[in-house]
Amino acid sequence: MTHYIYLVRHGEHQDAEHGLADGPLSTRGRRQAELLADRLSGVPLDAVWHSPLVRAAETARAVAARLPAVAPQPSSLLFDCVPTGMTPETPAAFESFFGSVTEAEIDAGRAQMADAMAAFLVRRQGDVHELLITHNFVISWFVREVLDAPEWRWMTLNQAHCGLSVIAQKHGRPWTLVAHNDLAHLPFELRTGLTEVPPV
């Protein structure tokens, strides 16, 4: 018996090129979501959760349109957030990123991710398949948590729009990373959203 969690970054949104925080999916983002739905069509999903932000909600609706047996539900635990600040171990290359993040934002992000781990990384009965449509940093934190990597390592994990990561737990065993940022369902021209990682 295995509990699977499919972690997906939302599709590309229209306002991304203008530097705005949120917005509806672009034409490319809608196509990414449709192809993601095709990729997941053989998975017996028990639940679909998504961030309440527009770009994640629209991605979830696009998936549900092709998988009508599932009803997407918003979760505030999947909001975009920054789960840590600089630590003694964080490479100095990341200082400029954290310069624009307040202590209050970091405290809120840390609390949110602690609650998300407690809510989602729990053993369910039987075979379970859950889809979480969320944001780059949130997925990075899930993967870092499963790998038991140092906290700052979430900064070095990036996901493309509608990239698919999978974590799983068999009964009596720890969570494992099955796949990370799998883009096999997306043709080259739809592979967007990967950010440049500062040199370490």
Side-chain angles (χ1 to χ4, degrees), residues 4-192:
Y4 293 94
I5 296 179
Y6 304 84
L7 298 161
V8 171
R9 186 182 181 191
H10 58 81
E12 179 187 78
H13 60 105
Q14 291 179 11
D15 295 327
E17 63 185 21
H18 305 297
L20 300 179
D22 199 14
L25 294 181
S26 64
T27 300
R28 194 158 48 178
R30 288 192 297 273
R31 185 62 182 143
Q32 290 166 344
E34 290 168 354
L35 291 172
L36 171 69
D38 290 345
R39 175 75 182 275
L40 296 173
S41 61
V43 177
L45 292 173
D46 298 290
V48 176
W49 302 94
H50 64 85
S51 159
L53 292 180
V54 172
R55 57 192 187 267
E58 287 199 354
T59 303
R61 285 196 292 272
V63 170
R66 297 199 171 206
L67 302 172
V70 298
Q73 298 292 322
S75 171
S76 60
L77 298 178
L78 300 177
F79 265 122
D80 202 5
C81 71
V82 176
T84 67
M86 286 290 292
T87 71
E89 296 79 25
T90 307
F94 294 110
E95 284 182 6
S96 60
F97 169 82
F98 288 110
S100 62
V101 183
T102 67
E103 285 298 321
E105 289 172 326
I106 292 168
D107 290 345
R110 180 181 291 279
Q112 177 188 318
M113 285 297 89
D115 289 345
M117 298 305 102
F120 291 110
L121 296 186
V122 292
R123 184 71 183 108
R124 316 282 191 206
Q125 293 298 316
D127 285 326
V128 177
H129 300 263
E130 294 182 287
L131 172 61
L132 276 54
I133 298 174
T134 180
H135 305 276
N136 192 33
F137 294 167
V138 176
I139 296 170
S140 296
W141 191 261
F142 269 90
V143 173
R144 183 218 61 81
E145 181 78 11
V146 166
L147 294 177
D148 196 26
E151 284 194 349
W152 67 270
R153 274 294 184 180
W154 69 271
M155 290 289 297
T156 65
L157 297 165
N158 284 283
Q159 289 70 224
H161 293 123
C162 285
L164 176 64
S165 297
V166 184
I167 58 177
Q169 184 189 45
K170 291 184 180 293
H171 184 68
R173 298 184 184 181
W175 284 92
T176 59
L177 179 64
V178 177
H180 179 248
N181 198 38
D182 184 344
L183 303 178
H185 51 290
L186 299 178
F188 181 78
E189 64 272 15
L190 294 182
R191 297 181 182 184
T192 64

